[in-house]
Amino acid sequence: SSEVLEAIENVIQGVFQSLAQKKAPVLTVANRADWRNIEFKDSVGLRMIPGSTTKQIRSDCPQSARRFALMLKILSMIYKMVQSNTYATKRDIYYSDILLFGSQSVVDQIINDISCMLKIPRRSLHVLSTTKGFVAGNLSYTEEDGTTVNCTCSATAVTVPSNVQGIKNLTSHAKFILIVEKDATFQRLLDDDFFSKVSPCIMITGRGIPDLNTRLLVRKLWDAFQIPVFTLMDADPHGVEIMCVYKYGSVSMSFEAHHLTVPSVRWLGLLPSDLKRLNICKEALIPFTKQDENKLASLQKRPYIACQPLWKKELEIMASSKLKAEIQVLTSVSSDYLSRVYLPNKLQFGGWL
């Protein structure tokens, strides 16, 4: 905490020095969303390059003066929280002054900018994300307040903890971790008691694009148990992109790649090549939209696809067919095909990429 306080004090000191010299104070922030500032490293994923280009948030410029003021406001809130050892969610910060901040996304972006500027992970700033992910299966752990959470005996899923960094005493006999893209598929596997029938496993869903806590938990579980991590996604460009976020990270959070990516993630399904192999009828498939085509074209150009020839091949199958499929398409074979046949066979015979 002293490191965080010192980092904030240095920023404020810089503001005072500028004012003392009768200059307009400026905050310098890395260009997080610029692909030119990102490098791909197989063992880490997407990470920000040292000496990346920056942008200035000036206090004397009409376009950025408001953002400058909001950054100082949030820095002062973080400073108080770290001093008093209290925590707040990004939502709490937004609701502390809705009129001032205007929208939740403004708060989210500023907090990420501050984290990147100070080179301090967001959790150390005492800012927690609102969690939307679920976890179930062969896992128990102790939360920061001493509560023991047992996911194994729960018939319903457990919400991913809001302070993943604080959990300890992780115990599991799981043979693998299964990341499921969608909540509906996750619930179906839970109803079918999948995590104990095939072999003990841990199931996680970020319910679409994963929030920070879900990504942190996947990474923490992988660090703790060093077991295979598989993904079950829709066979569409959106599903592939979500899988890449777990495996390689995202451009906007590339400055925290070391805590968030799991380079050992494997693509278990639904593979575009599975659709032909399982004779899924064309009527059950969905034609591409223009948005799907653009998303796929952008994915095919990404640096990490080049080092995954088998993934590349699957994307080519998708591009040539211009058809996509949701995981639920497997119910057209039989209602419990996913948990009874598809996943057990894939896991037994190594049907992942």
Side-chain angles (χ1 to χ4, degrees):
S1 61
S2 60
E3 190 190 323
V4 180
L5 297 175
E6 192 183 332
I8 296 173
E9 284 161 10
N10 289 339
V11 171
I12 303 305
Q13 204 172 0
V15 170
F16 280 140
Q17 279 170 349
S18 298
L19 291 169
Q21 293 163 5
K22 299 210 166 20
K23 289 180 186 168
V26 168
L27 296 174
T28 305
V29 180
N31 268 326
R32 288 185 297 114
D34 191 338
W35 272 95
R36 287 170 301 183
N37 284 337
I38 311 297
E39 67 175 359
F40 169 64
K41 194 162 189 274
D42 206 10
S43 60
V44 181
L46 299 173
R47 66 173 186 184
M48 192 167 266
I49 56 171
S52 52
T53 61
T54 55
K55 57 184 177 189
Q56 289 194 327
I57 297 163
R58 301 188 61 86
S59 58
D60 61 346
C61 168
Q63 283 81 19
S64 62
R66 176 180 157 74
R67 194 170 186 85
F68 179 90
L70 292 180
M71 281 186 81
L72 289 191
K73 168 73 176 169
I74 292 178
L75 275 168
S76 77
M77 293 172 85
I78 291 169
Y79 193 85
K80 279 179 196 154
M81 288 192 296
V82 175
Q83 263 188 330
S84 58
N85 197 26
T86 53
Y87 288 81
T89 63
K90 294 186 296 182
R91 210 161 173 69
D92 294 334
I93 291 173
Y94 168 59
Y95 278 110
S96 70
D97 201 330
I98 295 173
L99 284 175
L100 176 71
F101 294 119
S103 78
Q104 180 71 60
S105 64
V106 167
V107 173
D108 296 355
Q109 283 171 8
I110 287 176
I111 287 164
N112 284 344
D113 276 343
I114 287 172
S115 175
C116 186
M117 176 176 76
L118 300 178
K119 295 186 172 52
I120 289 169
R122 193 161 79 194
R123 298 160 307 291
S124 303
L125 301 176
H126 287 227
V127 178
L128 304 173
S129 307
T130 312
T131 295
K132 64 183 179 113
F134 289 130
V135 58
N138 195 294
L139 173 70
S140 64
Y141 57 84
T142 310
E143 289 202 322
E144 205 176 18
D145 62 1
T147 312
T148 300
V149 178
N150 192 342
C151 307
T152 313
C153 58
S154 176
T156 54
V158 172
T159 307
V160 167
S162 58
N163 188 1
V164 175
Q165 198 185 21
I167 67 171
K168 49 189 182 293
N169 305 332
L170 285 91
T171 318
S172 176
H173 302 293
K175 297 283 182 277
F176 61 90
I177 295 163
L178 180 66
I179 300 169
V180 183
E181 178 187 348
K182 282 183 175 158
D183 192 26
T185 310
F186 180 85
Q187 296 298 339
R188 180 64 208 251
L189 291 172
L190 205 58
D191 293 344
D192 290 349
D193 201 17
F194 173 77
F195 65 79
S196 58
K197 270 184 186 162
V198 180
S199 70
C201 73
I202 300 166
M203 295 196 316
I204 293 182
T205 180
R207 298 162 79 197
I209 295 166
D211 59 288
L212 193 72
N213 292 327
T214 304
R215 290 174 62 191
L216 282 167
L217 183 62
V218 173
R219 174 66 196 229
K220 189 161 188 127
L221 293 173
W222 181 63
D223 282 340
F225 305 122
Q226 294 291 307
I227 51 178
V229 183
F230 299 117
T231 55
L232 180 61
M233 305 279 151
D234 287 341
D236 67 8
H238 190 65
V240 174
E241 181 161 61
I242 288 171
M243 173 172 61
C244 290
V245 168
Y246 283 106
K247 185 175 175 73
Y248 297 121
S250 58
V251 173
S252 65
M253 293 299 288
S254 57
F255 63 96
E256 267 208 64
H258 287 278
H259 308 286
L260 293 170
T261 60
V262 181
S264 68
V265 161
R266 296 285 171 265
W267 188 1
L268 188 67
L270 185 64
L271 302 177
S273 58
D274 288 340
L275 304 173
K276 195 174 180 185
R277 187 174 58 80
L278 298 171
N279 288 323
I280 304 288
C281 65
K282 263 204 165 144
E283 289 68 51
L285 305 177
I286 308 159
F288 263 24
T289 62
K290 188 75 193 144
Q291 202 179 1
D292 291 324
E293 284 181 40
N294 294 340
K295 173 71 75 190
L296 183 57
S298 124
L299 277 168
Q300 286 176 307
K301 289 192 194 104
R302 295 208 186 152
Y304 41 70
I305 296 298
C307 73
Q308 289 282 2
L310 297 175
W311 286 27
K312 199 175 171 188
K313 206 174 258 182
E314 293 293 330
L315 296 189
E316 282 162 6
I317 293 170
M318 211 190 286
S320 63
S321 73
K322 286 194 167 57
L323 292 168
K324 58 184 181 176
E326 296 184 330
I327 299 161
Q328 286 86 332
V329 80
L330 296 175
T331 55
S332 66
V333 183
S334 74
S335 63
D336 59 351
Y337 188 78
L338 175 67
S339 59
R340 187 176 52 84
V341 181
Y342 181 82
L343 288 175
N345 280 353
K346 283 251 172 183
L347 292 160
Q348 189 180 346
F349 300 112
W352 57 80
L353 305 178

